[in-house]
Every structure is written in C-alpha cells, then in structure tokens.
Amino acid sequence: MAHPPSIKDVAREAGVSPTLASFALNGREGVGEKTRQRILAVAAELGYRGNPYARALRTGSSNSFGLLIRNLGNPIFLDVIAGAQEAAIESETTVLVADSDYSFDRERQHIERFAANRVDGLAIAPVGPGESVELWHELRPGAPTVVLYATAQGLDNVIRVGPDARRAVRLAVEHLVEYGHRDIAFLTAPPELMADHDRLAELEVVCAELGITPRPVATLLNLTAVTERTTKLLSGPGAPTAVITNSDYTAHGVYLAARECGLVIGRDLSVVGHDDLPTAALLDPPLTTITMDGRALGRALVARLRQSDQTDHAESVGLVVRRSTGPAPS
C-alpha cells in the first residue's frame, strides 16, 4: 500500500463494515468469533496499527500514564523509570516521561501536554509543595494522581509514593552521632523548591532526641550549586564535621568541595548519601549511604496509577556503612 492501512482497508479486505471491523479490533462485543478472527488476520496481514490519538479522542482514554520528574540529572530517577516501564509493559500500558528541571513553568507546560494527550493518570515528583497538581486535577478531574518523593502538604486526592524519608534521616543522623559528630550539616532544597518536608521535620525530631542542634543547609540540588555551597560551608568559620545529602548524586558535589578545601573524606569530614547508586562504592573513599530499591518505587507508582493499589507507599530503606564516615575529628 502507498499509505498506512486504515480501518476501512481492513473492513474492505475482510468483507465487513468499518464499524464491525472497529468492534473486532477493539475487543468489543457484537462480533462473532470466526468473524473476529478473520478481521484480526486481515489486520495483521495488512500491517494495520490503530491510531492511539484517535482512540483517546473516541474513548477518553489513551492507555498511557505520565511520569513527570523534577531532575533527571539524578540517576536514581532512571531506576524509578526502569521499574515503571517494567510494570507498564506487564500491564500493556505506556509510561510517558518528562523532566521539569526544577522549573515551575516547565512543570505546568508538561502537565498541560499530558492532559491534552489524555493520559489516564499522572505521577509527579513536583517542584516545591506541588501546586501544579491542582492544575492537573482541573484539566483531568478524577484521573489518578501519584505524588513521588514529596509530602504534598495540603493536597487532596493524591497517593504518595517514595522512600521512607523519616527512617532514612534517622539512620543517617544516628550513625554520625554514634561516631561522635555533633555539628552535622543537612543539605536540603531552598524553601520555595522543597518538596520533601518530611525529611526536615524528622531532622528536627531526631536532633532533639539526641541533644544536638539541627543544621539544615539550603542549596539548589545540582552538582554545581552543591559544590559551591559546600565549599563555602567547609572553608568558613564553624565548619561542620559531617554532611548528610539528599542523594548520592549531590554527595559527589560534597566530595568535590572537600577536595577543594584540602579535607580528607572519612577523616576530616564524614559524608552520608542516599540511594546507594552503583557509583557509591566506586568513590574514594566509598560512600556511606541509604540504600533502597528505586525500581520497586517505579513499579509501586504504576500499580497506583492503574488503581490496583490505592494506598500510600513508603519504600523500605537501610544504611550501608562504608569509609566515607568515621569518628569526629578532635
């Protein structure tokens, strides 16, 4: 054929009406089994492929979901995407991925496009408290909404999926205090960009229990910003003896800053990461970090988008101790 085969071509070759061909190809009732098999065989022979946009317009469903990440530069999100794709393939659905790159404008633009393409649900690692979720609810009312790596305070009709952030913070702080550290910097996003308020809340709780003063340090969570902010922190007065990061990705920036300041990780400065990426064990010295299953998070969010599970999900975490942490220097 000079053009992609249409449903009319299938109907003509099968000797049926376009309506009957559509019913057969979309698995609807009202078609005899022999006729259905003949139509499917003709469609396969012609190489017919349904138009997903036309189907979405007709049914209001695209059999696809949106996954909007705030920072694809962080490799842990690649594991989340991989798990989501695995679950989507198993359920014969599609996951469409976009990156807001910590931009409120880009986040809203992606949501508008997802809604225009009639995706059946949205999973979002939002910028800030998640105000853009309200836009999604306006554009696709009733569609499943999963909030990823965020507390989403004040938002209704959302399901929360992410690591057990409170447990992760507690493990990191308690580990450092056992080594004698009392001045621990805690990297976090600036207030206007912060999505995971539960991390900061748990920091205050565990520090109060252990009798130390919490020291949150706000910074943009990219390598350049973390390196610059930590370099100033370590070279200034009252420099901390330990740093807890939000990810192994940003921990790389702390290593660079320590090198710039002439500090030896594990001796002069202890560092704890989060995610246990493959690179964590390859750093010099290997990075003490919070471990969790990113692929499991991806599978969990798809289950909630498909509404086979409608409960919040906190992925279990653990602590992997390596040589980036040691006794506090005297």
Side-chain angles (χ1 to χ4, degrees), residues 87-172:
I89 290 172
E90 292 169 3
S91 61
E92 298 184 345
T93 56
T94 301
V95 174
L96 307 175
V97 180
D99 177 20
S100 68
D101 194 26
Y102 277 105
S103 165
F104 288 105
D105 288 340
R106 286 183 61 175
E107 185 175 75
R108 293 177 67 86
Q109 289 169 7
H110 285 310
I111 287 175
E112 290 171 350
R113 288 167 185 158
F114 279 143
N117 287 322
R118 298 177 183 267
V119 298
D120 298 325
L122 175 70
I124 176 173
V127 181
E131 296 174 358
S132 295
V133 173
E134 297 178 355
L135 172 62
W136 166 253
H137 286 163
E138 292 174 7
L139 297 174
R140 292 287 282 165
T145 309
V146 174
V147 177
L148 183 66
Y149 278 89
T151 50
Q153 295 173 332
L155 290 179
D156 297 322
N157 301 317
V158 300
I159 299 174
R160 295 163 178 82
V161 172
D164 188 342
R166 291 183 178 274
R167 176 68 175 159
V169 171
R170 180 169 291 272
L171 286 172

Side-chain angles (χ1 to χ4, degrees), residues 10 14 38 72 101 112 121 187 198 236 259 261 270 276 288 317:
V10 174
R38 184 172 80 253
L72 275 179
D101 194 26
E112 290 171 350
L187 298 190
D198 47 352
R259 183 187 305 166
C261 296
S270 288
D276 197 19
T288 295
V317 298

